[in-house]
Amino acid sequence: MAAEEKTVKKRIEVRNKLKRQKLFATIRHEHNKARHKERKQRAKEEAEDPTLKEERLKENVTQTIESKRVYDETVNAELEGDDEFQAYFDGKSPKVFITTNKHAHKAAYEFADLLTEIIPNSNFVKRKEQFEMNRIAELCAKRDYTDVIVINEDKKNVNGLTFLHLPEGPSFYFGVSSLVQTERIAGHGRATNHYPELILTNFTTRLGMTVGRLFQSLFPHRPEFEGRQVVTLHNQRDYIFFRRHRYIFKDAKDKDIRTGLQELGPQFTLRLRRIQKGIKEQIQWEHRPDMDRDKRKFYL
């Protein structure tokens, strides 16, 4: 609208600002009247001939960033052979060790409490300064842990999560943002100890499927449906949104089954920054600043 006003002002040389604004408002009003008249006439014609509306809708397809996405040949491609997570899909039960970076503060410990509540069969141990990542991974592997999660906290804010898949990797590092604690969510519910159902959406590339298998390896493969709890990880434009809900069955007079959702929290967003072989060894994939130049290129 500002561009339109600028064009009109160039075309109409009115020195008085108030008169110029009034004249522009009149022109805009006439333009809107013509547009509504045209829309009304089109609706009348389409009511008489429905095929006109069908043709219009076919031509006027809304373009989004997702619809303009740069082609990726790995989308929906099957993973070739076994990977490091195959044992989980063959029946291995997950057991997760959670700790923090060195010299962590209260924010990291609070987030650790959330993760132990969200991820079944997980234990939190406060990190001691003398233990490096490789040593932690070695000790956890000997105690039959399948994964290690390290919470990174900086300036009293949680800003990253490192996932070490045991015993031989790979390692994943995610940035963490937009954390909303459960108590700040209106109408939130209380979670129970039931194993949740896990929903992963839009992890379509080969890299995305690898990330999806990481998350699948953290949760038992046998959800307890009586708890009606669902953990959702939704990928959109390479941002992974975490949500947790409980679905509720409602009474309906017409005897149709109706459901509702009650959010359990917390909410936060992940973004993949790096994948490394083994326990933080050679880099396999890393997000670089230049990757953000093309807004239509996605990697997950």
Side-chain angles (χ1 to χ4, degrees):
M1 190 60 67
E4 183 181 352
E5 183 177 2
K6 187 176 180 180
T7 303
V8 172
K9 286 178 180 178
K10 282 184 177 180
R11 195 167 59 236
I12 304 172
E13 295 182 0
V14 179
R15 292 182 178 275
N16 187 286
K17 181 179 179 181
L18 295 177
K19 290 183 178 180
R20 188 169 64 244
Q21 289 178 340
K22 185 177 180 181
L23 181 58
F24 174 73
T26 302
I27 293 173
R28 185 170 58 181
H29 176 67
E30 293 298 327
H31 174 74
N32 288 337
K33 278 180 63 177
R35 182 163 53 87
H36 287 300
K37 184 178 180 181
E38 181 183 352
R39 185 177 295 176
K40 188 176 181 180
Q41 179 64 27
R42 184 179 63 200
K44 183 179 179 181
E45 293 173 354
E46 289 178 350
E48 296 174 354
D49 186 2
T51 58
L52 294 176
K53 184 176 181 179
E54 294 177 4
E55 293 175 0
R56 178 173 61 84
L57 294 178
K58 286 181 181 179
E59 295 176 357
N60 297 339
V61 178
T62 303
Q63 295 292 328
T64 63
I65 293 180
E66 283 82 1
S67 67
K68 294 180 179 180
R69 178 175 182 168
V70 175
Y71 174 73
D72 189 325
E73 62 181 6
T74 68
V75 170
N76 297 325
E78 294 184 3
L79 292 173
E80 298 179 0
D82 295 345
D83 61 6
E84 297 87 347
F85 304 100
Q86 188 60 43
Y88 166 76
F89 295 94
D90 291 337
K92 187 174 183 179
S93 298
K95 184 180 177 184
V96 183
F97 181 89
I98 300 174
T99 188
T100 67
N101 61 330
K102 296 180 181 179
H103 311 296
H105 295 87
K106 181 180 178 182
Y109 299 136
E110 290 178 346
F111 194 76
D113 289 339
L114 290 174
L115 289 184
T116 54
E117 180 185 302
I118 292 166
I119 302 174
N121 303 327
S122 60
N123 299 305
F124 170 72
V125 176
K126 188 175 181 180
R127 183 169 177 178
K128 295 182 179 179
E129 188 173 353
Q130 65 267 30
F131 286 98
E132 299 297 333
M133 298 283 278
N134 289 338
R135 181 58 176 162
I136 292 173
E138 180 183 345
L139 292 173
C140 288
K142 289 181 180 179
R143 290 164 173 76
D144 296 325
Y145 284 98
T146 60
D147 295 270
V148 173
I149 301 176
V150 182
I151 302 167
N152 190 73
E153 174 263 332
D154 183 40
K155 297 179 181 178
K156 300 183 180 181
N157 287 312
V158 174
N159 64 354
L161 288 175
T162 300
F163 294 83
L164 310 177
H165 188 68
L166 302 177
E168 298 178 353
S171 308
F172 299 76
Y173 177 72
F174 294 85
V176 177
S177 61
S178 304
L179 173 61
V180 179
Q181 299 287 358
T182 300
E183 57 269 19
R184 292 179 55 194
I185 300 173
H188 68 85
R190 288 189 176 183
T192 63
N193 293 325
H194 295 90
Y195 291 171
E197 302 172 53
L198 179 64
I199 297 177
L200 302 175
T201 59
N202 210 26
F203 293 88
T204 55
T205 66
R206 187 172 288 117
L207 178 64
M209 285 187 279
T210 300
V211 173
R213 286 169 77 84
L214 163 70
F215 293 130
Q216 287 176 315
S217 70
L218 299 174
F219 292 85
H221 218 188
R222 51 182 191 283
E224 297 173 340
F225 296 104
E226 61 270 22
R228 296 177 281 109
Q229 293 183 157
V230 180
V231 168
T232 302
L233 289 158
H234 172 69
N235 171 47
Q236 185 171 354
R237 304 178 188 178
D238 289 345
Y239 289 91
I240 303 171
F241 299 94
F242 175 92
R243 298 292 185 270
R244 184 169 57 150
H245 295 86
R246 177 186 293 112
Y247 53 89
I248 305 169
F249 296 106
K250 299 180 179 179
D251 296 330
K253 295 180 181 179
D254 55 5
K255 296 183 180 180
D256 290 334
I257 297 176
R258 297 178 59 200
T259 58
L261 290 178
Q262 182 183 34
E263 190 160 5
L264 304 178
Q267 301 176 356
F268 57 88
T269 304
L270 302 173
R271 193 170 194 196
L272 180 63
R273 295 299 183 183
R274 187 167 53 252
I275 298 179
Q276 294 172 264
K277 290 183 178 180
I279 306 301
K280 295 181 73 65
E281 296 174 0
Q282 180 184 353
I283 295 176
Q284 287 183 297
W285 185 90
E286 186 171 25
H287 181 270
R288 304 184 309 275
D290 62 284
M291 291 179 173
D292 294 329
R293 291 177 185 171
D294 189 348
K295 300 300 182 182
R296 301 172 301 164
K297 177 67 175 176
F298 308 122
Y299 298 91
L300 300 184

